[in-house]
Amino acid sequence: MSAVPPNSASIQPASGLARALAQANLLTAAQLDAIQKKVQIEKSNFLDGLLQNGAINARDLATFCSETFGYPQLDLSVFDESMLPEKIIDAKMMQSQRVIPLSKKGNKVSIGISDPTNTVAIDQIKFQTGLSVDIVIVQHDLLQKLIDKISKTSEQSISDLAGDDYDIEFKEEDLNSGVVDTQAAEIDDAPVVKFLQKMLVDAINMGASDLHFEPFEKFYRIRFRVDGELREIAQPPLAIKDKLVSRIKVISKLDISEKRVPQDGRMKLVLSASKAIDFRVSTLPTLFGEKIVMRILDGSQAQMGIDALGYDPDQKEILLDAIQRPYGMVLVTGPTGSGKTVSLYTCLNVINKPGINISTAEDPAEINLPGVNQVNINDKAGLTFPVALKSFLRQDPDIIMVGEIRDLETADIAIKAAQTGHMVFSTLHTNDAPSTLTRLMNMGVAPFNIASSVILITAQRLTRRLCTCKKPVEILDEVLLAAGFLEEELDGTWKPYGPVGCERCSGSGYKGRVGIYQIMPITEAIEKIILANGTSLEIRQQSEAEGVKGLRRSGLQKVRQGLTSLEEVLGCTNE
């Protein structure tokens, strides 16, 4: 055997493989020392650092390990991955220990490994499987690619994520909760953990917006809200409800000992190095236990672009003109779950440039938008909407976004900001655009302040989008006219479509949602009605005279385009 390089005794190699490489003169003392320091700082794998260093390539390393330690070598590039045995080693162990099961015969399992001196991995596999282990050497880079493909941790679309055997990582948010590590240990029940992971991944795969965990006297129910409708997904055993609630509370940094009052928290689901999804978690004490609702907050929605939201061309032009003005107020209205936040953030994304200072106050911030200064409202700590807004005005802002105008104080400050050279975006919970103005008056905002600050109001709803399996349906002209279509529109050049149902849409006939909008700019005529304390009916009549389409008319346009069904539009609009 070759002599050990000088000073190698002081190096203390990180593994048996490092020692073997040093003894074979394939690594100098300086190289080994540099690799070990880099691995220690980055908390990474020794083999990753070794290959990144360039002292040896993955193919030569595999050959060295096979010859030095006397194990057979396998080329994974020509290996048929469909032959891999299932459910021998879980995905978490494969990823953490860099091993993969290659075959199983009797009480023996052959494992592919790039570092045969990793005795910890080998011992864990023996313990987990109860089988004896045969070692096969494989290239480190090919091994990692195959593990990524199997465990679904490589960068890919969310819809391709696995369900049952997919292990995911929860990143703890920096929240104050008083939860201690011992609490996490107490409820670390493997079946419950795996079941929760499956529910979260299934919800993401289905494109759900919310998960509902609901306890009742004789059963426990889990429902997902998909395309605006709640669907029952599972009825797990009633006995797991407390463990499931405790598990969710721990990863959301909530107090698991407090069951008498509602709590709000957050958690982050890490899918890969560059993809993570946030969940907003809300607990509510009910008669038979705590109900939990988890809202999925996918920041990629704000990156879809304004064209994907469903605005008609004329509506889009009016909206873009309004949001690019130097000052004023733009209000987005609609019920909870109508997509107001996504619309606001899409607008912010359009005007988010290095030369513009944007600040937002939200409760809580649902979508992370780089380049925007986002503030989470914390009423308990005294950080309310008015306090945040007053602070923003001392921060040299160009654009301010207020998550919601809830009271007169918030409204007054926001309006004053709009009157003093700032663009202000916000939301209100009203049924349509005209009633938003009367709502502000009812709050106590002076009519002249409304007229001089608000420049545009958009009301919106989300209606289910027809799946590609849709088919034309026959609807009587009388029904179409009663719904709001005009005589001249029933010219036979188009046909309404209805749902069918296929595997892609899980039999519902609908896949995804599309927005319907009422875009109402505040014109001089409407300003005069506001100053005269006019009613929402007067404002509506004036806006319609100026060509503003109501929500129903906007929805009927989507029916003509074949994007949604008449039933959907009638179900989410009044006229």
Side-chain angles (χ1 to χ4, degrees):
M1 188 175 289
S2 304
V4 179
N7 300 323
S8 64
S10 63
I11 293 171
Q12 297 179 345
S15 67
L17 177 58
R19 187 176 298 108
L21 289 166
Q23 290 173 341
N25 287 328
L26 293 176
L27 282 181
T28 66
Q31 286 176 318
L32 195 51
D33 190 44
I35 292 170
Q36 289 180 203
K37 286 179 180 177
K38 186 174 188 292
V39 167
Q40 187 175 9
I41 293 171
E42 296 180 356
K43 296 182 179 179
S44 59
N45 182 277
F46 172 75
L47 266 66
D48 290 335
L50 176 66
L51 295 176
Q52 288 170 8
N53 180 271
I56 189 171
N57 61 46
R59 181 183 295 276
D60 292 342
L61 179 63
T63 301
F64 171 79
C65 289
S66 176
E67 293 174 353
T68 302
F69 298 100
Y71 294 116
Q73 184 178 353
L74 174 68
D75 184 0
L76 286 179
S77 64
V78 296
F79 183 74
D80 183 0
E81 64 187 64
S82 66
M83 302 298 292
L84 293 171
E86 297 181 359
K87 299 182 179 179
I88 299 293
I89 304 172
D90 63 44
K92 186 176 181 180
M93 179 177 289
M94 282 194 285
Q95 192 64 255
S96 63
Q97 298 296 342
R98 310 291 180 91
V99 294
I100 193 167
L102 298 172
S103 65
K104 178 182 177 295
K105 292 182 181 179
N107 65 344
K108 282 190 176 182
V109 59
S110 295
I111 64 164
I113 193 167
S114 52
D115 181 1
T117 66
N118 186 356
T119 56
V120 172
I122 297 167
D123 290 342
Q124 283 189 8
I125 293 169
K126 289 178 180 176
F127 178 78
Q128 187 181 92
T129 64
L131 305 172
S132 58
V133 173
D134 286 339
I135 295 175
V136 177
I137 304 297
V138 295
Q139 277 185 223
H140 186 71
D141 54 347
L142 298 178
L143 172 65
Q144 188 58 54
K145 285 181 182 177
L146 185 55
I147 291 173
D148 283 343
K149 190 173 182 180
I150 293 171
S151 61
K152 306 294 184 183
T153 56
S154 61
E155 186 64 31
Q156 56 179 279
S157 66
I158 299 174
S159 60
D160 291 333
L161 290 174
D164 295 21
D165 296 327
Y166 184 77
D167 280 284
I168 52 184
E169 176 188 352
F170 296 102
K171 182 178 178 182
E172 294 182 348
E173 298 291 337
D174 185 18
L175 300 174
N176 296 321
S177 64
V179 177
V180 293
D181 292 340
T182 53
Q183 290 176 322
E186 288 172 5
I187 55 89
D188 192 14
D189 186 291
V192 171
V193 171
K194 187 171 183 179
F195 177 75
L196 176 59
Q197 291 176 344
K198 183 183 188 311
M199 287 296 99
L200 297 178
V201 172
D202 284 352
I204 295 169
N205 288 340
M206 292 175 66
S209 60
D210 301 86
L211 297 82
H212 292 241
F213 298 82
E214 303 170 306
F216 298 95
E217 184 177 12
K218 298 186 182 297
F219 66 97
Y220 192 73
R221 179 174 69 181
I222 296 175
R223 295 188 293 173
F224 295 167
R225 188 175 293 279
V226 181
D227 296 335
E229 282 201 340
L230 280 171
R231 300 180 188 176
E232 184 170 317
I233 301 300
Q235 283 197 17
L238 191 60
I240 76 164
K241 68 175 184 179
D242 291 333
K243 288 184 177 180
L244 196 57
V245 168
S246 295
R247 176 65 183 168
I248 293 171
K249 281 185 170 183
V250 165
I251 58 180
S252 306
K253 301 294 282 181
L254 299 176
D255 186 353
I256 68 172
S257 64
E258 181 55 77
K259 302 178 181 180
R260 300 164 299 174
V261 297
Q263 297 185 68
D264 294 302
R266 273 178 93 104
M267 55 175 260
K268 187 183 290 288
L269 183 68
V270 180
L271 302 173
S272 70
S274 59
K275 183 67 177 177
I277 291 181
D278 288 300
F279 289 76
R280 189 176 71 200
V281 181
S282 172
T283 72
L284 178 70
T286 66
L287 202 57
F288 301 106
E290 289 181 280
K291 174 180 177 177
I292 291 184
V293 175
M294 305 174 75
R295 166 68 58 89
I296 299 176
L297 309 173
D298 187 0
S300 62
Q301 292 178 339
Q303 311 294 330
M304 292 188 302
I306 200 164
D307 292 321
L309 297 184
Y311 290 100
D312 293 337
D314 56 331
Q315 293 178 331
K316 174 186 167 185
E317 184 180 349
I318 294 169
L319 178 63
L320 289 176
D321 175 68
I323 65 175
Q324 295 182 29
R325 292 193 195 179
Y327 56 87
M329 178 181 284
V330 172
L331 296 174
V332 180
T333 73
T336 301
S338 60
K340 298 188 299 297
T341 301
V342 171
S343 294
L344 275 177
Y345 266 93
T346 302
C347 291
L348 288 179
N349 206 34
V350 169
I351 55 181
N352 182 18
K353 296 179 174 61
I356 296 177
N357 180 22
I358 304 176
S359 296
T360 74
E362 302 163 83
D363 185 19
E366 295 186 358
I367 297 172
N368 178 31
L369 194 60
V372 174
N373 305 289
Q374 297 171 270
V375 174
N376 266 332
I377 295 304
N378 187 338
D379 289 327
K380 290 181 180 178
L383 182 54
T384 60
F385 278 116
V387 170
L389 281 175
K390 288 175 183 175
S391 247
F392 287 169
L393 294 175
R394 295 190 290 269
Q395 292 275 317
D396 185 30
D398 296 304
I399 296 168
I400 294 171
M401 196 269 269
V402 186
E404 182 184 350
I405 293 179
R406 299 175 179 172
D407 51 52
L408 178 58
E409 187 180 7
T410 305
D412 272 339
I413 300 171
I415 284 173
K416 286 174 184 174
Q419 292 171 332
T420 54
H422 306 94
M423 174 57 73
V424 179
F425 297 146
S426 191
T427 70
L428 277 106
H429 290 277
T430 57
N431 290 326
D432 58 12
S435 61
T436 304
L437 296 168
T438 53
R439 170 74 188 280
L440 288 171
M441 294 182 203
N442 292 336
M443 275 186 182
V445 181
F448 66 86
N449 278 332
I450 299 173
S452 63
S453 58
V454 180
I455 58 174
L456 180 134
I457 301 172
T458 169
Q460 64 183 68
R461 299 288 188 278
L462 289 178
T463 182
R464 291 189 294 171
R465 185 190 292 267
L466 285 167
C467 180
T468 52
C469 63
K470 64 185 178 182
K471 68 174 183 180
V473 293
E474 293 294 333
I475 301 177
L476 294 174
D477 286 356
E478 291 82 357
V479 175
L480 294 173
L481 289 170
F485 281 104
L486 304 177
E487 286 274 5
E488 57 266 28
E489 291 176 325
L490 307 182
D491 54 8
T493 59
W494 62 276
K495 271 193 170 295
Y497 282 81
V500 176
C502 64
E503 185 177 342
R504 179 175 179 267
C505 60
S506 303
S508 69
Y510 297 93
K511 186 69 175 177
R513 290 192 284 179
V514 63
I516 56 177
Y517 303 92
Q518 179 185 30
I519 305 289
M520 187 180 82
I522 307 302
T523 60
E524 286 186 13
I526 292 178
E527 283 181 11
K528 289 177 182 178
I529 297 174
I530 297 170
L531 291 171
N533 288 314
T535 65
S536 59
L537 179 60
E538 293 173 314
I539 296 170
R540 182 180 297 109
Q541 289 171 343
Q542 178 60 38
S543 67
E544 288 175 355
E546 294 174 355
V548 174
K549 289 186 292 188
L551 287 167
R552 173 64 64 86
R553 289 293 305 161
S554 180
L556 294 178
Q557 181 68 20
K558 298 294 188 295
V559 174
R560 289 191 64 179
Q561 295 168 355
L563 296 175
T564 189
S565 65
L566 182 62
E567 294 80 8
E568 277 294 300
V569 172
L570 296 178
C572 68
T573 61
N574 286 331
E575 191 158 295

